[in-house]
Amino acid sequence: MARERQLSRRSLLGGAAAGAAGLTTVSAVSAGAPAAAAAAGSRTVDVAIVGGGLAGLTAARDLVAGGRTVAVLEARDRVGGRVVNLRLANGGYTEGGGEFIGPTQDRVKALADSLGVATFTTYNTGDNLLYKGGKRTPYDTSGLLGSVPPVDAAGLANAAIVQSELDSMAATVPVDAPWTAAKAAEWDKQTFESWLNAHAVVPSAKFLLDLACTSIFSAQPRELSLLYVLYYIAAAGNESTPGTLERLTDTANGAQESRFVGGSQQVPIKLAAALGDRVVLGAPVRSVVRSGGSYLVTADGVTVTATRVVVAVPPPLAARITFDPLLPAARDQLTQRMPMGSIGKAIAVYDTPFWRADGLNGQAVSDSGVVRSTFDNSPPDASYGALMGFIEADEMRAYDAAGEAEIKAAVLADYVNYFGDKAASPTFFVLQRWDDEGFSRGGPVAYAPPGVLTAYGAALREPVDGVHWAGTETSTFWTGFMDGAVRSGERAAKEVLAALG
């Protein structure tokens, strides 16, 4: 079974092992209610939905509530998309994909509440760790600097100025149309790195901002449009609360503040269960063909005839579907130019969360190694310990051709540097490589390099005849997060209901 992971943002500035390599086999937890493609046959519905992640399932829920018939076609053998729970050999679970939520992420919280999925606070008691230049420095996050790592005073001052300037610039970017910002053309011509090079002039400040960038996007500053970064910051809020860089990177009062009891995939699993056999698994969509006033959506093992179609997969994956008639050139050009971030997630499981006894909260940031940021991923009852680390951007790409055993050795070497010799011997180890997962090919989000938003951004959400677009990339708030996925599904459903009358 393919294994997945979405990656949520992380606070930056802010069994027995199987086989000789010691790698534990895990499986995705999937819902039993959806139908298999082989049993689905042909269907005629009001709306065909491509993708059974949070966006597609939310759209389906709202359309059914609006009195419409739907079929959700999901390529994988499970629901959730870039959100997945992985069962561990000890009977527990770990989250291979998106897992965190925080303040202003109102829509995913409301959805979880409606499904009876509770949250608990991310473990954040004790010191963070900075590992820089080979030196390990614990630091208290309750002081004036909060979660900002304690680099030199000049670097802290420079980083604070840069962060404030980014927030001020982001405040001028309309979240529903960033390409219309007054300085959109100027900001979209340059990379985030070129802007940082001119403003983060103290090396330690540049380190902090680079680390924040790779942690948020799983991409290097050189790959991102400055306008896209500013839009992403602006989107880290809601209709009444402006977005800030700090909210993206922080744990307490930030995007990593809470987790879901039972794992984040409980949300799509329960949502799919409520939809029942309207959800079809193992059905990758190959083509969407318009014929008269309807669409024929062809997937492996099932065909669906529908009046409207909602495509709820990342833009680069939507581009792999054959559309007839062809999509407008601007939409196709957009999908060619929005790559996925490069990311992996490594979780080492121990008998206990031993770092807590050392006064540490499991959160580390580093200027070296394959893992540059970590979290305590233990369950709320601390019945076992779990250290989770993100492998991102250049670090992930450097290991594209490596086997799991090689990556495990590199990850554990980092964990030993951060948390001591006890980290060398986990009970088992889980590795999620989203870049190698066929129906994601990276994460946490498809991002925009320079020139994309101003030239093609208007095609991101604009319906094409009866085809509508959803997915976290299309959200106006919390793009790249679970909350953005839910918001996009709600918006797409409203569009379709209005169109169908």
Side-chain angles (χ1 to χ4, degrees):
M1 179 180 295
R3 295 181 292 177
E4 349 245 331
R5 49 209 183 251
Q6 168 201 340
L7 297 0
S8 173
R9 284 3 28 133
R10 25 275 169 209
S11 171
L12 247 294
L13 278 177
L23 300 177
T24 296
T25 300
V26 295
S27 61
V29 182
S30 59
S42 299
R43 300 185 180 193
T44 299
V45 295
D46 294 324
V47 188
I49 299 172
V50 181
L54 282 169
L57 294 172
T58 298
R61 175 203 63 176
D62 288 2
L63 288 165
V64 170
R68 295 297 176 174
T69 57
V70 304
V72 180
L73 303 175
E74 168 53 46
R76 301 170 177 88
D77 58 1
R78 62 165 185 84
V79 295
R82 286 166 277 177
V83 177
V84 62
N85 289 354
L86 302 173
R87 188 68 67 192
L88 300 174
N90 65 0
Y93 67 88
T94 193
E95 289 142 316
E99 62 179 280
F100 299 111
I101 70 166
T104 74
Q105 295 187 10
D106 312 308
R107 301 315 305 152
V108 69
K109 182 61 164 61
L111 173 61
D113 288 347
S114 74
L115 296 168
V117 181
T119 60
F120 67 100
T121 302
T122 302
Y123 190 80
N124 198 34
T125 301
D127 289 346
N128 282 29
L129 283 174
L130 169 65
Y131 188 81
K132 189 172 186 293
K135 180 182 178 183
R136 178 179 177 275
T137 305
Y139 62 98
D140 184 358
T141 62
S142 64
L144 183 63
L145 295 177
S147 62
V148 180
V151 297
D152 57 275
L156 290 172
N158 187 199
I161 292 170
V162 170
Q163 178 170 313
S164 177
E165 188 166 358
L166 287 170
D167 286 345
S168 295
M169 294 161 66
T172 71
V173 176
V175 293
D176 58 343
W179 47 89
T180 67
K183 294 188 176 181
E186 173 188 339
W187 291 338
D188 207 29
K189 287 179 181 178
Q190 59 186 302
T191 65
F192 186 41
E193 181 172 55
S194 64
W195 187 88
L196 283 178
N197 286 341
H199 293 82
V201 293
V202 179
S204 55
K206 182 67 160 50
F207 157 69
L208 293 177
L209 274 300
D210 283 349
L211 192 57
C213 177
T214 55
S215 296
I216 293 168
F217 300 101
S218 297
Q220 302 296 143
R222 67 175 185 271
E223 299 175 286
L224 299 159
S225 158
L226 173 61
L227 177 62
Y228 181 76
V229 171
L230 296 174
Y231 153 68
Y232 213 86
I233 294 170
N238 61 16
E239 292 79 359
S240 61
T241 308
T244 66
L245 180 58
E246 184 177 26
R247 191 174 297 115
L248 281 169
T249 59
D250 272 0
T251 300
N253 300 312
Q256 288 68 237
E257 184 174 76
S258 300
R259 297 169 59 198
F260 289 108
V261 175
S264 52
Q265 200 193 0
Q266 287 295 312
V267 179
I269 285 174
K270 291 191 174 187
L271 186 51
L275 291 165
D277 64 5
R278 297 181 183 91
V279 181
V280 183
L281 301 179
V285 170
R286 306 301 181 182
S287 64
V288 176
V289 178
R290 188 180 69 198
S291 178
S294 64
Y295 288 85
L296 182 66
V297 181
T298 302
D300 292 359
V302 59
T303 57
V304 176
T305 301
T307 305
R308 294 269 160 170
V309 179
V310 174
V311 179
V313 297
L317 297 185
R320 300 179 185 184
I321 300 170
T322 298
F323 289 87
D324 184 9
L326 292 173
L327 295 174
R331 171 69 196 186
D332 197 63
Q333 292 285 326
L334 174 78
T335 61
Q336 293 179 46
R337 287 165 166 78
M338 288 189 74
M340 302 297 289
S342 298
I343 188 157
K345 206 172 182 185
I347 302 101
V349 180
Y350 304 88
D351 290 338
T352 64
F354 61 84
W355 49 93
R356 297 183 183 182
D358 297 331
L360 302 175
N361 61 19
Q363 297 174 44
V365 295
S366 175
D367 67 347
S368 61
V370 61
V371 168
R372 304 291 176 96
S373 65
T374 68
F375 277 90
D376 183 328
N377 248 42
S378 308
D381 63 1
S383 55
Y384 56 90
L387 281 174
M388 181 271 288
F390 291 103
I391 310 173
E392 306 185 271
D394 282 351
E395 283 66 52
M396 187 70 257
R397 291 188 281 262
Y399 281 85
D400 275 351
E404 288 197 2
E406 181 181 349
I407 298 176
K408 176 186 177 183
V411 168
L412 293 183
D414 290 339
Y415 289 0
V416 168
N417 285 336
Y418 308 153
F419 301 105
D421 291 341
K422 292 180 181 178
S425 303
T427 307
F428 37 83
F429 181 85
V430 177
L431 178 65
Q432 290 285 22
R433 303 171 75 166
W434 286 97
D435 296 28
D436 291 340
E437 198 285 307
F439 297 112
S440 295
R441 298 318 307 259
V445 66
Y447 62 86
V452 174
L453 286 180
T454 49
Y456 308 106
L460 187 60
R461 285 184 300 276
E462 183 66 25
V464 178
D465 297 322
V467 178
H468 301 255
W469 311 105
T472 189
E473 288 84 3
T474 71
S475 183
T476 53
F477 290 106
W478 287 110
T479 306
F481 290 75
M482 292 183 286
D483 189 72
V486 172
R487 288 173 183 271
S488 77
E490 293 174 338
R491 186 258 312 150
K494 288 178 182 176
E495 289 178 0
V496 172
L497 289 172
L500 292 177

